[in-house]
Amino acid sequence: MTNGPDLFSSDGPDQGLPGPGVGGSSADSGRALDPLAVRMRPRTIAEVVGQDHLTFPGSPLVQLVEASGGDRAGASSVILWGPPGVGKTTLAHVISHAPGRTFVELSAITAGVKDVRQVIENARRERDMYQRTTVLFLDEIHRFSKAQQDALLPAVENRLVVLVAATTENPSFSVISPLLSRSLLLTLRPLDDAAIADLLDRAVVSERGLAGQFELEPAAKDFIVRIAGADARRSLTILEAAAGIAAAQAQFAKATAGDSTDADADADADADADADADAEDEDEGDAEVDSEDSSDSEPRAILITEAACAEASSETVLRYDKNGDQHYDVVSAFIKSIRGSDVDAALHYLARMIVAGEDPRFIARRVVISAAEDIGMADPQALPIAVAASTAVQNIGMPEGRIPLAEAVTYLAMAPKSNASYRALDAAIADVKNGFSGQVPTHLRDAHYPGAKELGHGEGYKYSHDHPHGVAAQEYLPETLRGKRYYEPTGNGMERSLGERLEMLQRLLRP
């Protein structure tokens, strides 16, 4: 928040804590061993950055922190939904510092129904005996089964516990509807580049962070911002690792320089052995002055370079879950980019799926579907190319399978588009489902089995190859659908000429 305290201000319960490598009490030293992302975690709701839409005065989160147990309105159960590193756990710990509350933290990875029921029983005791509200923070709630989530319902509905649940998965898919209806869904936004850069700057100078012992060069900061992918925790983790690398390199360079200085000093001593006493006294006096100046100077901050950051983390970690939102969102964007004829966007989303480890056979199937659905008869060659790419992927595997995939995606994105064929089929299916099937015309019925001709099957059928242009003028649709048109070609690509041919065929079929 713009008017709140500094996110990494040294004011607070951790004021004066040393950064890495700084001396202090044993308790302070133990605190300094915590990961940088933990040491820099905000302590109050005012220190939380990047989520202004959730931290305004009177917001559910602020009420959850500030409302007392006796308030008739205020704290409500909330579900925090957002990608990793945006502050879900941080908000839970901010809530834990609120007065008049009992804070309990569970992880859905390790907890079960028994643990939940124990928390609820303790919460009932706290409320009845001490008038204290229990706040239950449940991390990774999407990992709870339906039965496990059901166990929370009575306590949440009666506000026996105030639930703060965190998830990286879409709650619409991962949280049961009754629990959603009893909670407020709050969406946390990814931090932008400016916010991540500000966090890095503060972590470098804060006593809770690197305590000014390091200097982050601009190129290194830009690298971390880019590689962190809007994940605050990851950005601080990379910064801490890069600081360790920079410190080790500086220590090695200092040791190497010390050895070189000693060797130079020995050589100078041999060369000046015959010098007169006055010159030796003058040199010794200068050396003493230089030594005193050196001892009085402040130690220089260690520079964290882009190279150190690259060694700490060389690749961006994509937010991509094969069974979660990112899977469906990226695939959706991929198909829509092909449909929209943006070849660069299509290749970008293809690359994201490949880098994230998506099953290449799944990608190939989507490419085949896109060829039939979005290109269709505007370019009939698109489907064979897509099928060939799918076959190639299955035969050669990855990483080489990316090559035919790239070829197919490029072709499909640049091809003319038409969905007229499958729209025509959908219209025909709708008629069949609505009872507009009718009887197969008698002259089209099978006449090969005994007794069929006596029923009139095949009588009057015109063999198309016996007529001009290979087209016989006769009715093919059931009587109830006579004259019905399903396929309406577009003017795109090959369908332009197909439209002209269709009109000619209609005139021959129904003169």
Side-chain angles (χ1 to χ4, degrees):
M1 297 180 65
T2 55
N3 297 327
D6 190 304
L7 174 62
F8 300 118
S9 171
S10 59
D11 297 335
D14 61 346
Q15 183 175 1
L17 290 181
V22 179
S25 66
S26 59
D28 288 348
S29 298
R31 180 68 178 84
L33 292 177
D34 287 341
L36 180 62
V38 173
R39 300 201 305 273
M40 299 304 299
R41 181 170 285 159
R43 267 48 174 187
T44 67
I45 195 72
E47 294 179 358
V48 176
V49 296
Q51 308 299 337
D52 293 351
H53 64 296
L54 300 179
T55 57
F56 59 87
S59 69
L61 275 179
V62 173
Q63 293 182 46
L64 188 57
V65 172
E66 298 177 351
S68 63
D71 291 347
R72 293 185 176 275
S76 301
S77 293
V78 296
I79 297 176
L80 305 175
W81 173 35
V86 296
K88 298 185 296 296
T89 304
T90 291
L91 288 173
H93 282 271
V94 168
I95 294 169
S96 72
H97 294 296
R101 305 266 177 75
T102 298
F103 184 81
V104 181
E105 181 175 358
L106 292 179
S107 172
I109 299 176
T110 57
V113 173
K114 180 180 178 181
D115 302 294
V116 172
R117 289 174 177 169
Q118 184 63 50
V119 170
I120 294 174
E121 184 61 32
N122 293 340
R124 181 178 288 106
R125 187 182 308 110
E126 287 281 324
R127 186 183 66 175
D128 295 342
M129 297 180 62
Y130 308 109
Q131 300 299 309
R132 292 174 62 88
T133 300
T134 297
V135 177
L136 170 60
F137 173 57
L138 183 57
D139 199 13
E140 306 283 345
I141 189 174
H142 58 272
R143 296 181 181 272
F144 256 15
S145 66
K146 181 179 182 298
Q148 291 172 314
Q149 293 183 34
D150 282 338
L152 293 165
L153 290 177
V156 172
E157 184 170 15
N158 298 323
R159 202 179 288 181
L160 187 59
V161 299
V162 175
L163 176 66
V164 179
T167 178
T168 57
E169 302 294 333
N170 190 332
S172 299
F173 304 132
S174 58
V175 180
I176 60 175
S177 297
L179 192 56
L180 281 176
S181 68
R182 291 164 173 79
S183 309
L184 297 176
L185 176 59
L186 305 179
T187 303
L188 279 73
R189 299 171 181 169
L191 301 181
D192 58 23
D193 290 352
I196 294 293
D198 187 46
L199 293 178
L200 293 172
D201 290 338
R202 296 178 183 183
V204 169
V205 301
S206 172
E207 290 299 322
R208 292 179 356 193
L210 302 182
Q213 298 180 29
F214 296 85
E215 178 184 351
L216 185 63
E217 71 174 10
K221 180 167 65 176
D222 292 342
F223 177 88
I224 296 177
V225 169
R226 183 180 72 254
I227 211 75
D231 186 330
R233 185 188 299 108
R234 178 168 170 77
S235 69
L236 294 175
T237 300
I238 296 174
L239 174 62
E240 185 174 28
I245 293 173
Q249 292 174 342
Q251 184 176 4
F252 177 77
K254 182 178 180 181
T256 303
D259 294 341
S260 176
T261 301
D262 292 342
D264 292 343
D266 292 341
D268 291 342
D270 292 340
D272 296 339
D274 297 333
D276 59 85
D278 291 340
E280 289 179 0
D281 292 340
E282 182 178 352
D283 290 342
E284 291 174 359
D286 291 343
E288 291 175 358
V289 173
D290 292 342
S291 177
E292 292 175 359
D293 291 343
S294 176
S295 62
D296 293 339
S297 63
E298 292 292 332
R300 296 182 60 184
I302 299 172
L303 182 64
I304 302 176
T305 64
E306 183 179 8
C309 294
E311 292 179 16
S313 179
S314 59
E315 294 184 359
T316 302
V317 175
L318 290 176
R319 295 193 182 110
Y320 192 93
D321 185 342
K322 296 179 185 179
N323 298 314
D325 286 345
Q326 285 296 312
H327 166 81
Y328 296 105
D329 290 345
V330 172
V331 169
S332 176
F334 173 60
I335 295 301
K336 290 172 182 175
S337 297
I338 294 177
R339 182 182 302 144
S341 300
D342 191 331
V343 62
D344 298 310
L347 290 171
H348 165 76
Y349 292 115
L350 173 63
R352 284 176 66 163
M353 289 188 288
I354 291 174
V355 171
E358 182 62 81
D359 186 345
R361 296 170 300 177
F362 168 80
I363 301 174
R365 288 195 298 269
R366 300 306 306 177
V367 170
V368 172
I369 294 171
S370 177
E373 178 181 356
D374 295 318
I375 288 83
M377 293 303 294
D379 186 351
Q381 188 64 22
L383 183 57
I385 288 177
V387 171
S390 179
T391 302
V393 167
Q394 296 184 54
N395 288 342
I396 66 178
M398 297 295 281
E400 290 82 1
R402 76 190 190 284
I403 301 172
L405 281 176
E407 179 181 347
V409 168
T410 302
Y411 188 95
L412 267 57
M414 299 180 65
K417 306 297 189 295
S418 171
N419 63 354
S421 292
Y422 95 86
R423 287 182 59 188
L425 176 60
D426 286 349
I429 290 174
D431 278 351
V432 171
K433 289 183 176 180
N434 290 326
F436 296 105
S437 298
Q439 297 296 319
V440 175
T442 304
H443 62 281
L444 298 182
R445 296 181 185 180
D446 182 19
H448 290 86
Y449 63 89
K453 291 185 179 180
E454 284 75 7
L455 297 174
H457 292 186
E459 185 177 346
Y461 171 68
K462 300 177 182 178
Y463 188 56
S464 297
H465 295 289
D466 293 339
H467 295 266
H469 308 291
V471 179
Q474 59 186 340
E475 189 61 50
Y476 290 89
L477 280 169
E479 183 65 28
T480 55
L481 294 172
R482 185 183 294 271
K484 180 72 175 183
R485 290 280 296 268
Y486 291 114
Y487 179 54
E488 297 289 347
T490 68
N492 301 331
M494 186 175 175
E495 277 197 327
R496 185 183 300 110
S497 60
L498 290 178
E500 298 172 356
R501 177 169 176 79
L502 178 60
E503 293 303 322
M504 180 195 71
L505 291 172
Q506 293 294 331
R507 289 193 299 268
L508 293 174
L509 289 169
R510 301 176 183 89

